[in-house]
Amino acid sequence: MANNPIMNAMDAIYGSTAECFITIEGRRYNFMSMTEFESKWEVNVKEVPILGKVGMGHKSSGGKGTWSGKAHYNQSVFRELADNYQKTGYMPYFEIQVSNEDPSSAVGRQTIVHRGCLCDSFTLAKFQAGEDYLDEDLSGTFESWDLPEKCEFS
């Protein structure tokens, strides 16, 4: 154990230093109203029966991307998408770019670009008496992603 490297505590990424951009039909928004975001890529794993073996084998067979987040209720970008969709039946795909870079960390910058994004529900209107501020939950799917910048451990 003495020869194993140990992570430097300064290399833990501080969440508030992230950036989030959304691009819809060529228009790029700095989506700084986001306060939380998480995306996941779920691999479909199929069971493979194998003659002469008691246990099942497993094989990956595609994947599915989902994203979710929370934002301050102070923008109409997604409500405009919903409005256009309910009036025309057209819902454009969009991109979500998330970058994490903490200047106090030595690991550098990581960026994920989510492509083929859609929202799966929309908050149209809301209020809550007595609240300091309003927020909204956002969620959807994406079809693919790229990793143009990645963290590097020494």
Side-chain angles (χ1 to χ4, degrees), residues 3-27:
N3 293 330
N4 289 337
I6 297 173
M7 185 185 105
N8 183 336
M10 292 291 288
D11 289 339
I13 303 298
Y14 182 58
S16 290
T17 59
E19 297 176 329
C20 182
F21 294 91
I22 296 174
T23 304
I24 304 171
E25 295 190 312
R27 185 160 181 202

Side-chain angles (χ1 to χ4, degrees), residues 31-34 71-77 79 134-136:
F31 218 64
M32 71 272 187
S33 63
M34 291 289 281
H72 293 293
Y73 182 75
N74 64 356
Q75 52 75 32
S76 296
V77 172
R79 279 173 278 289
L134 294 175
D135 58 19
E136 62 182 305

Side-chain angles (χ1 to χ4, degrees), residues 56-126:
M56 286 285 186
H58 297 89
K59 182 175 178 101
S60 58
S61 63
K64 172 183 166 184
T66 58
W67 62 270
S68 62
K70 189 176 288 285
H72 293 293
Y73 182 75
N74 64 356
Q75 52 75 32
S76 296
V77 172
F78 286 125
R79 279 173 278 289
E80 288 176 316
L81 279 180
D83 185 47
N84 185 58
Y85 179 62
Q86 62 103 16
K87 289 177 178 171
T88 68
Y90 172 67
M91 169 95 58
Y93 288 102
F94 56 91
E95 290 182 359
I96 301 174
Q97 176 182 317
V98 175
S99 297
N100 296 95
E101 184 176 26
D102 181 345
S104 68
S105 171
V107 299
R109 182 177 173 94
Q110 176 177 276
T111 298
I112 302 284
V113 181
H114 306 79
R115 303 195 189 281
C117 298
L118 290 173
C119 288
D120 58 18
S121 67
F122 298 93
T123 300
L124 297 180
K126 75 181 290 182

